Amino acid sequence: MTGSVWSPSSWRSHPALHQPEWPSEERAEVARGKLATVPPLVFAGEARQLRSALAEVAGGRAFLLQAGDCAESFHDVSAIHIREKLKILLQMAAVLTYGATLPVVKVGRIAGQYAKARTSPTEPAGDDEIPSFRGHMIHDDAPTAEARIPDPERMVEAYYHSTSTLNLVRAFTKGGFADLLRVHEWNQEFVASSVEGRRYERLAAEIERALLFMAACGIDVVAEQKLHQVDVWTSHEGLVLDYEEALTRRDSTTGDWYDCSAHMLWIGERTRKLDGAHVEFFSGVNNPLGVKVGPTATPDELIEICERLDPARMPGRLTLVSRMGAEQVFELLPPLLRAVRESEHPVVWACDPMHANVFKTDSGVKTRRFDAIMAEIEGFFAACRAERVWPGGVHLEFTGEDVTECLGGSEAVLEEQLSSRYMSLCDPRLNARQSLDLAFRLAELMRAPELEA
Ligand code: PEP
Ligand code: CO
């Protein structure tokens, strides 16, 4: 209950939605025990660094780019998959940083995004209804009832897959691959020949010239670390509380609790209940937090969420991620922006233009339109500008691969092409070309403050 003493397990006396029902409590306890003794994935000091970076976003001096898979797969923990995802993240960040001349805080939905809250508990599989896929942390994705039986040992597997993913992310981002001098190399072959790929080539050439110019002015571009390494932070939805609790550690320098499964965690639209277990758990850890904010959120409820999760009003602690739908954002968001602004909670406002724009085609394929995604971002910017609130960032689902999951884009994916390379385990993702296209349009939007409603 609010007011009672917080501990990593105090969430257990609150209603916990969307938790797996482990078939054996004994095996669940063994898995929790293993996780309680493994090394942390991230350090408290890193989570504090990300909080400082997000404080810059909250103050209107930087922009947040949070993106990655809807659901990561245990089968995709390979160097190629991780490298391709990083390439598109780095490309988008280059477009935004250069295009909008603002620092971009880069946060992946990566190294832990293995659990999903689902609206429907079952889904069709041939003539049968089987339990919906809820992420590899819980069960397998094969379309059989047997594969969908939760297995607690998968939490331990999720930890090890997160570890190897994060290890490679650190190597790529600190070991030369993310060096700005290699800005051309992030353009993938299947992207390079497209309209946005060529546009990227021109931008990369401009960045190169800018670096040469700086060198000619006597600036030592070789010695400047910031040009050769980037910070890519990790995040996932903090859904399975057995997992998050087991990875929570007390920081030896400050004595504060941190959930060491990721730098940033977010609470989903389905689990952000004020009296629920998720809000209770995350109120006590000191990582930067996100909360998804959908169409049913009220101003009062949102202020209470801010009070519960950020009573100290610390800039960078809390990011509110609006996901209203292209058609509703301009109507539903302003009252929420206004209420939070008037309460003086120093939050980051970000836009998730993905989750309220999903629909099924006539043939039953789950998809999103690129145009609706852009329209929600535009509506978000317009709402923020009308309410004098900084449009702080975007939260996207993308992949570095050449998939056909979202419709449209400048080289449009058509409805009849959707099934040709639909590889997502859960929601449809933007492919690398659509992501780059989005980044260019977003940079233009960021440069256009006159776009007021
Ligand atoms: C998600 O981010 O994958 C998700 C399920 O989002 P939401 O909680 O906003 O529906
Ligand atoms: Co999703």
Side-chain angles (χ1 to χ4, degrees):
M1 242 175 66
T2 315
S4 62
V5 180
W6 184 92
S7 77
S9 62
S10 58
W11 63 270
R12 292 184 183 275
S13 55
H14 294 250
L17 300 179
H18 294 275
Q19 299 306 289
E21 282 172 22
W22 306 122
S24 150
E25 179 48 33
E26 218 173 20
R27 291 187 62 232
E29 193 47 39
V30 170
R32 288 191 290 257
K34 286 184 191 167
L35 289 174
T37 59
V38 295
L41 274 152
V42 305
F43 290 125
E46 296 177 310
R48 283 192 289 272
Q49 277 178 39
L50 173 57
R51 200 179 63 208
S52 304
L54 289 169
E56 290 299 294
V57 181
R61 298 177 295 273
F63 194 76
L64 166 66
L65 173 62
Q66 186 172 14
D69 282 298
C70 180
E72 286 182 279
S73 166
F74 281 5
H75 311 303
D76 286 349
V77 185
S78 74
I80 294 176
H81 270 101
I82 296 164
R83 188 191 63 207
E84 299 312 283
K85 236 179 277 181
L86 278 176
K87 270 188 185 170
I88 185 65
L89 191 69
L90 293 173
Q91 274 191 299
M92 292 180 80
V95 169
L96 295 174
T97 311
Y98 191 77
T101 49
L102 269 182
V104 173
V105 181
K106 297 166 268 299
V107 181
R109 286 174 64 116
I110 200 166
Q113 178 55 20
Y114 289 118
K116 302 304 301 172
R118 303 303 300 272
T119 307
S120 167
T122 62
E123 64 190 24
D127 292 336
D128 298 331
E129 274 296 306
I130 61 169
S132 294
F133 177 59
R134 299 172 66 188
H136 276 166
M137 185 188 289
I138 294 164
H139 53 204
D140 190 38
D141 58 290
T144 66
E146 205 186 359
R148 302 292 168 87
I149 297 171
D151 175 359
E153 187 61 21
R154 282 180 164 265
M155 290 193 288
V156 180
E157 278 185 73
Y159 165 81
Y160 284 108
H161 287 313
S162 302
T163 308
S164 40
T165 303
L166 179 55
N167 183 45
L168 207 57
V169 169
R170 290 188 194 277
F172 275 136
T173 53
K174 304 293 178 191
F177 180 75
D179 193 322
L180 204 50
L181 301 172
R182 296 173 71 171
V183 63
H184 279 290
E185 291 171 39
W186 307 332
N187 218 1
Q188 300 183 56
E189 273 168 38
F190 73 90
V191 177
S193 57
S194 66
V195 179
E196 48 277 11
R198 290 197 298 274
R199 193 168 172 192
Y200 179 77
E201 280 301 321
R202 290 195 293 277
L203 179 127
E206 280 179 41
I207 292 176
E208 247 172 11
R209 272 183 69 79
L211 291 172
L212 289 172
F213 172 74
M214 278 161 39
C217 293
I219 295 167
D220 191 346
V221 293
V222 175
E224 181 49 64
Q225 278 295 317
K226 286 197 174 76
L227 297 173
H228 310 300
Q229 298 188 345
V230 293
D231 290 323
V232 172
W233 310 99
T234 62
S235 74
H236 61 259
E237 176 172 349
L239 183 69
V240 177
L241 294 176
D242 271 344
Y243 180 80
E244 304 304 337
E245 177 191 339
L247 286 169
T248 294
R249 307 278 185 271
R250 204 190 263 278
D251 173 28
S252 55
T253 54
T254 60
D256 290 336
W257 292 101
Y258 284 83
D259 181 346
C260 296
S261 71
H263 298 113
M264 177 181 190
L265 284 307
W266 77 86
I267 304 177
E269 168 69 359
R270 292 162 192 78
T271 51
R272 61 172 161 78
K273 313 276 172 296
L274 273 163
D275 57 355
H278 291 81
V279 168
E280 167 65 16
F281 176 74
F282 285 107
S283 70
V285 297
N286 285 270
N287 307 59
L289 300 178
V291 178
K292 294 289 197 82
V293 181
T296 58
T298 65
D300 288 349
E301 187 189 10
L302 205 51
I303 302 304
E304 273 196 71
I305 287 180
C306 294
E307 296 286 338
R308 277 300 299 288
L309 296 178
D310 184 25
R313 298 174 184 243
M314 197 179 288
R317 157 73 167 171
L318 190 58
T319 296
L320 299 176
V321 186
S322 159
R323 32 91 81 222
M324 299 292 173
E327 283 168 17
Q328 300 196 87
V329 60
F330 193 70
E331 181 195 334
L332 298 179
L333 189 55
L336 302 176
L337 295 172
R338 204 173 310 141
V340 175
R341 187 193 68 214
E342 284 167 3
S343 74
E344 296 183 12
H345 276 283
V347 304
V348 169
W349 273 103
C351 171
D352 166 358
M354 315 298 293
H355 285 93
N357 293 311
V358 185
F359 70 99
K360 275 196 177 161
T361 63
D362 291 342
S363 44
V365 184
K366 198 172 169 193
T367 189
R368 298 158 166 151
R369 286 186 204 286
F370 182 84
D371 287 351
I373 292 168
M374 271 323 299
E376 177 149 1
I377 297 179
E378 282 162 18
F380 170 80
F381 268 71
C384 287
R385 284 174 175 155
E387 290 300 327
R388 303 186 311 284
V389 167
W390 176 244
V394 288
H395 181 121
L396 307 170
E397 288 184 345
F398 75 17
T399 169
E401 277 129 88
D402 191 12
V403 300
T404 52
E405 297 172 6
C406 290
L407 293 168
S410 65
E411 280 174 34
V413 172
L414 307 172
E415 206 166 312
E416 55 273 23
Q417 295 169 328
L418 280 182
S419 56
S420 67
R421 287 184 307 283
Y422 197 105
M423 279 146 29
S424 180
L425 281 176
C426 193
D427 290 340
R429 302 158 300 176
L430 296 163
N431 64 30
R433 277 201 317 267
Q434 290 167 327
S435 304
L436 199 52
D437 191 358
L438 184 146
F440 278 114
R441 294 179 200 224
L442 179 55
E444 276 165 24
L445 206 53
M446 288 163 71
R447 278 198 305 257
E450 68 278 7
L451 191 117
E452 282 194 15

